[in-house]
Amino acid sequence: MGAYAEVCSDGSLSLYAQVTSLDGARQVSGSLSGPLSEPEKLGEALAGELIGQGARSILGEIRVEAAV
């Protein structure tokens, strides 16, 4: 899992995130931009988008692998 945020020249916040399986076969990613004053809302919205694309399943598989 990785994430990157940057403040844009117009004063907005852009957030980029990606979740990739350990073998690299599955990956979900996304990006959102919004008000700099609401980073939590932006992060929650992007997390929801990634979960909708299957991030929860990928992270679940990683947890199983880590427990072995």
Side-chain angles (χ1 to χ4, degrees):
M1 179 176 173
Y4 173 77
E6 70 178 333
V7 177
C8 301
S9 60
D10 65 359
S12 65
L13 179 66
S14 288
L15 181 61
Y16 309 89
Q18 174 178 305
V19 177
T20 305
S21 62
L22 292 176
D23 65 2
R26 294 176 51 207
Q27 174 182 315
V28 296
S29 61
S31 63
L32 289 176
S33 295
L36 182 59
S37 62
E38 298 180 342
E40 294 88 1
K41 278 187 169 181
L42 186 61
E44 288 174 7
L46 184 52
E49 184 178 303
L50 295 179
I51 288 169
Q53 294 179 41
R56 187 180 308 262
S57 173
I58 295 170
L59 293 172
E61 291 171 9
I62 292 171
R63 285 188 196 103
V64 169
E65 289 287 325
V68 173

